[in-house]
């Protein structure tokens, strides 16, 4: 196979390997990995490349797995970061955290303010284990003061893995987009059998009923979900009933 004259510079570079990758023609002329490592120019550039991000992602998984592997039975509690101390939703979170701790269950939240702080506070005041899994956000200032075991993550998907991997159920308080994201992801994981024996309980019938009506009247009516999918969640008003359902539906996985 002949190349035109304007390709001769690329043809002059011998093929070479970069680990499992084979480079030919123009690609073979790229700098070697050692050159990137030892080059003193633009030393911060590599920290913004995808290979470096993979290492960061790996380190977050390792840190999360190592920190939570001996946590024991736990329940993830989700809710709004905007619930104010003393408000009805905040008090609801405190009671949920307290009741879970009384049952010997660790409480995992997103570690932020509002309902997350309330659940962590309730767990601590009942001598339970209080966990916060934080995330870099432009409008939050780190883990709340009631977190005893806290991990801050860069990546949402790593954090979400920890919420599911180390909890045997979800309790969901009223919240916004973040709470909805966590709720529907949990429902999807159960629906697709990625996780089993994973109860999901929503607290606040007045808050959740309009959403569930839309699911029934639109998604179910148009065949986007099945009637069985609606059985994935419970809706209650009483925190004690929520904890009871979590324990009952966990099929023994929450035994301390």
């Amino acid at each position: 196979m002949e190349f035109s004259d304007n390709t001769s510079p690329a043809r002059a570079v011998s093929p070479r390997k970069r680990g499992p990758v084979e480079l030919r023609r123009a690609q073979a002329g790229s700098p070697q990995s050692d050159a990137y490592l030892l080059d003193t120019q633009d030393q911060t550039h590599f920290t913004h490349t995808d290979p470096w991000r993979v290492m960061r992602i790996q380190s977050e998984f390792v840190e999360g797995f190592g920190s939570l592997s001996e946590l024991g039975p736990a329940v993830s509690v989700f809710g709004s970061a905007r619930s104010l101390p003393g408000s009805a939703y905040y008090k609801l979170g405190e009671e949920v955290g307290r009741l879970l701790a009384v049952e010997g269950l660790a409480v995992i939240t997103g570690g932020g303010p509002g309902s997350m702080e309330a659940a962590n506070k309730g767990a601590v005041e009942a001598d339970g284990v209080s966990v916060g899994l934080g995330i870099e956000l432009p409008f939050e200032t780190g883990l709340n003061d009631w977190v005893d075991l806290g991990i801050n993550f860069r990546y949402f998907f790593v954090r979400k893995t920890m919420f599911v991997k180390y909890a045997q159920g979800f309790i969901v308080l009223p919240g916004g987009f973040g709470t909805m994201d966590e709720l529907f992801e949990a429902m999807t994981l159960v629906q697709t059998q990625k996780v089993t024996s994973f109860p999901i309980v929503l607290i606040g019938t007045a808050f959740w009923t309009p959403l569930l009506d839309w699911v029934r009247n639109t998604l179910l009516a148009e065949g986007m979900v099945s009637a069985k999918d609606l059985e994935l969640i419970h809706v209650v008003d009483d925190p004690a009933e929520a904890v009871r359902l979590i324990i009952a539906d966990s099929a023994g996985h929450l035994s301390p």
Side-chain angles (χ1 to χ4, degrees), residues 154-168:
R154 289 174 179 266
Y155 302 100
F156 267 111
F157 59 89
V158 179
R159 181 190 189 221
K160 288 180 177 180
T161 299
M162 303 304 155
F163 278 133
V164 177
K165 181 172 176 60
Y166 293 103
Q168 288 77 40

Side-chain angles (χ1 to χ4, degrees), residues 63-108:
E63 188 67 37
F65 293 158
S67 300
L68 301 174
S69 60
E70 298 181 0
L71 180 62
V75 173
S76 289
V77 180
F78 300 116
S80 176
R82 305 185 186 193
S83 299
L84 298 176
S87 67
Y89 291 157
Y90 192 97
K91 292 178 180 178
L92 197 60
E94 287 183 282
E95 183 67 2
V96 167
R98 184 188 72 81
L99 291 171
L100 289 171
V102 167
E103 294 293 336
L105 306 175
V107 174
I108 303 174

Side-chain angles (χ1 to χ4, degrees), residues 8 12 23 70 92 152 171 183 241 248:
S8 58
L23 304 173
E70 298 181 0
L92 197 60
N152 278 303
I171 291 180
L183 168 61
E241 177 68 3

